[in-house]
Amino acid sequence: MHSLVVWGAHDTGLVLSCAFALLVIILAISVAKLPPFLGILIGALVFSATVGLAPARALTAFQAGAGKLLGDSGLIIALGALLGSMVAGSGAAARLVHALLNPGGRPLPVWLLPWCVAAAAMLVGLPLFFEVGLVIMLPLILGIARSARQPVLRVAIPALAGMTALHALVPPHPGPLIAISALHASLGTTLLLGLLIAVPAVILAGPLYGNLLTRYDAYRTIGERNSLSPHNTPNAPHRAAEAASAGQINPDTTGPSAALHSGSAAHSTRAKRHSTLPPLSAAAITILLPVLLMLARTISELCLPQTTLAAHVLDTIGEPFMALLISVVFAVIVLGWVRRQPRAEIGRTLHDSLPPLAVLLLTIGAGGGLKQVLLSAGIADTISKVAIFSPFPFVVLAWLVAVCLRQATGSATVATSTTAGLMAPLLGGIAFSPGQTSLIALSIGSGSVFFCHVNDAGFWMVHELFGLTLKQTVMVWSVLQTIVSVTGIVLCCVLWPMMGH
């Protein structure tokens, strides 16, 4: 087979042009401070110019790629934002976290706190965008650290690890769902394998790494040195708070500190407005409902004859779009109407979560457009040659491509969607099992969170929230995400032979 495949000058040119385009994207976002959507578009046009692709054809391909990706995933992301707004605004997430950290009304032993915070963050992170989860967990993290007299980072790092691992590896987050759709992977298999990989990744990057890092004075005293408390964070414009509540923080326009702290203020205001939080059972069911519906679909596929009525029903309600739609309606009824919340207020909560999605959707669409421009230039054939001659298995190659795209774009979702789109054409000619296809999707998700740096909104959120220096932010955030990423690809490689035919 190798004798029939020849690496030519055209392939070398494509690789060099792609590398140059990624450099342009990095400079446009990190140095020129352009919005990611515009930076990615410029990078796509630079790539097309360097490979000789006609501008009209490149723009047509960009529009087609962006439209297809948004058509497949835009509505799912919007439903996720609606669900997140109800979970955050009603206090359901806060209720669940308090129950986990104070079982039976009694505080946990100090040594258990990092582990339970990580578990709480994973549960909160299931239906929420990362930024929203961090806004909700912020006052709890600082309050727990203060009352237990523990270093802030010993509590915060497990929370960050729990939310970032879910964001990268577990549906219904946009990145994993886009990868599943592009690669035609099994939703249930990917969900189960994602949870299997996420748990050890969170353990290593959360409680263990947090305990290790806070042995050093520079990190153990961060909360004391910067006088952090749940009540003294500065406020900023309400518009930035709404951006945070929708899960889209843009450090280049609103400022990371402004968006995050105003989000905390908005959440605190809502908590005061509602004197009682929702019941624990309602909060837990609402947060877990989309995952349970998707798992029910998988169990149906494995255990029920597909001609039965039950199988058809479970297949319908377990489809990601329908599962999220049902969850949103359930949240409105149980967390809103049943608790006699004003309908105008519920409507405003839902409405306010949608406008800030414009930036997120444009950025994700730009990733789909970049993918299509690369494919139009023949990059899929070049990648297939790399796969043939590469000493790495396909699952590692997919991870490496996602790593490169994440470093360039600063977006895990864009890196995941673009990489999955590039890899999808190659799967047709290779006999992978369903389990291995799911592992490829998860390896892409793992690569999408590798060493997130200055072009990442989360980097600046953590930097401003805890008053860290750039070096400290790298050690806290970039290294944490790298641990999640490397653990993910290592476990994908370990599971790879087990998932074969």
Side-chain angles (χ1 to χ4, degrees):
M1 179 178 178
H2 289 196
S3 62
L4 300 177
V5 179
V6 179
W7 183 274
H10 175 69
D11 298 303
T12 302
L14 282 178
V15 172
L16 293 176
S17 296
C18 186
F20 180 64
L22 293 181
L23 177 61
V24 169
I25 294 172
I26 292 174
L27 294 176
I29 296 173
S30 300
V31 178
K33 304 299 182 184
L34 296 178
F37 163 77
L38 186 57
I40 295 170
L41 174 57
I42 292 172
L45 293 176
V46 167
F47 172 81
S48 66
T50 56
V51 299
L53 195 64
R57 184 182 174 192
L59 288 173
T60 300
F62 190 93
Q63 291 170 341
K68 184 178 187 308
L69 182 57
L70 291 178
D72 290 341
S73 306
L75 293 176
I76 290 177
I77 294 172
L79 287 173
L82 292 174
L83 178 60
S85 69
M86 286 301 302
V87 169
S90 67
R95 165 68 79 185
L96 185 61
V97 170
H98 279 300
L100 287 171
L101 298 181
N102 298 275
R106 298 179 180 178
L108 288 168
V110 169
W111 69 271
L112 267 180
L113 279 177
W115 299 88
C116 290
V117 167
M122 290 183 72
L123 286 175
V124 168
L126 278 173
L128 300 179
F129 289 116
F130 170 80
E131 291 88 349
V132 183
L134 184 53
V135 166
I136 292 171
M137 293 290 292
L138 167 62
L140 301 169
I141 290 170
L142 301 179
I144 291 167
R146 187 177 184 183
S147 62
R149 297 183 179 180
Q150 291 294 299
V152 169
L153 291 183
R154 186 171 291 170
V155 180
I157 287 176
L160 295 172
M163 289 183 288
T164 197
L166 269 290
H167 177 73
L169 298 170
V170 180
H173 283 279
L177 283 179
I178 291 171
I180 289 168
S181 175
L183 301 176
H184 303 290
S186 166
L187 174 63
T189 302
T190 308
L191 176 59
L192 292 173
L193 289 175
L195 288 171
L196 181 64
I197 292 171
V199 170
V202 171
I203 290 173
L204 290 174
L208 296 184
Y209 181 61
N211 286 334
L212 175 65
L213 195 62
T214 51
R215 291 181 181 178
Y216 300 94
D217 288 340
Y219 299 93
R220 184 171 59 248
T221 59
I222 278 174
E224 304 165 8
R225 185 174 62 252
N226 296 299
S227 300
L228 290 173
S229 79
H231 309 293
N232 67 356
T233 52
N235 294 327
H238 179 69
R239 185 178 300 275
E242 299 303 339
S245 68
Q248 177 59 34
I249 304 296
N250 186 349
D252 300 321
T253 57
T254 63
S257 178
L260 181 62
H261 294 318
S262 61
S264 301
H267 178 65
S268 299
T269 301
R270 271 192 218 104
K272 292 176 183 177
R273 189 184 308 152
H274 305 310
S275 57
T276 58
L277 295 174
L280 176 61
S281 57
I285 292 173
T286 303
I287 289 173
L288 296 174
L289 184 58
V291 175
L292 294 176
L293 291 175
M294 293 178 195
L295 283 176
R297 182 190 188 190
T298 301
I299 295 172
S300 167
E301 292 173 350
L302 295 174
C303 303
L304 295 179
Q306 293 305 293
T307 56
T308 62
L309 177 61
H312 286 302
V313 171
L314 291 176
D315 184 65
T316 299
I317 64 175
E319 195 274 332
F321 180 85
M322 184 59 69
L324 282 168
L325 177 59
I326 292 171
S327 300
V328 170
V329 174
F330 181 86
V332 169
I333 294 172
V334 173
L335 301 180
W337 295 349
V338 171
R339 297 176 59 225
R340 300 182 182 278
Q341 299 302 316
R343 296 189 180 186
E345 183 176 336
I346 296 171
R348 185 165 56 252
T349 298
L350 295 170
H351 179 272
D352 289 347
S353 70
L354 294 178
L357 280 181
V359 176
L360 176 63
L361 292 176
L362 281 173
T363 304
I364 293 173
L370 174 64
K371 174 263 300 182
Q372 196 60 43
V373 172
L374 295 175
L375 290 177
S376 298
I379 197 71
D381 291 336
T382 300
I383 293 176
S384 68
K385 294 176 184 178
V386 172
I388 290 172
F389 292 110
S390 171
F392 303 112
F394 195 90
V395 68
V396 176
L397 181 64
W399 180 81
L400 289 172
V401 173
V403 167
C404 293
L405 287 169
R406 176 57 197 259
Q407 300 309 299
T409 64
S411 169
T413 305
V414 171
T416 299
S417 61
T418 307
T419 305
L422 293 174
M423 293 294 153
L426 309 183
L427 298 186
I430 307 177
F432 290 131
S433 69
Q436 288 177 329
T437 304
S438 293
L439 288 175
I440 292 171
L442 294 172
S443 74
I444 292 171
S446 298
S448 74
V449 295
F450 183 87
F451 198 79
C452 304
H453 53 88
V454 295
N455 64 352
D456 169 39
F459 181 94
W460 293 110
M461 288 176 66
V462 173
H463 174 274
E464 293 294 326
L465 169 60
F466 299 108
L468 306 177
T469 65
L470 285 177
K471 178 183 176 181
Q472 289 172 333
T473 310
V474 168
M475 292 302 298
V476 171
W477 180 242
S478 304
V479 174
L480 178 155
Q481 294 227 302
T482 301
I483 294 172
V484 172
S485 179
V486 172
T487 303
I489 186 57
V490 168
L491 291 177
C492 283
C493 290
V494 169
L495 293 170
W496 184 260
M498 304 179 192
M499 294 292 111
H501 295 288

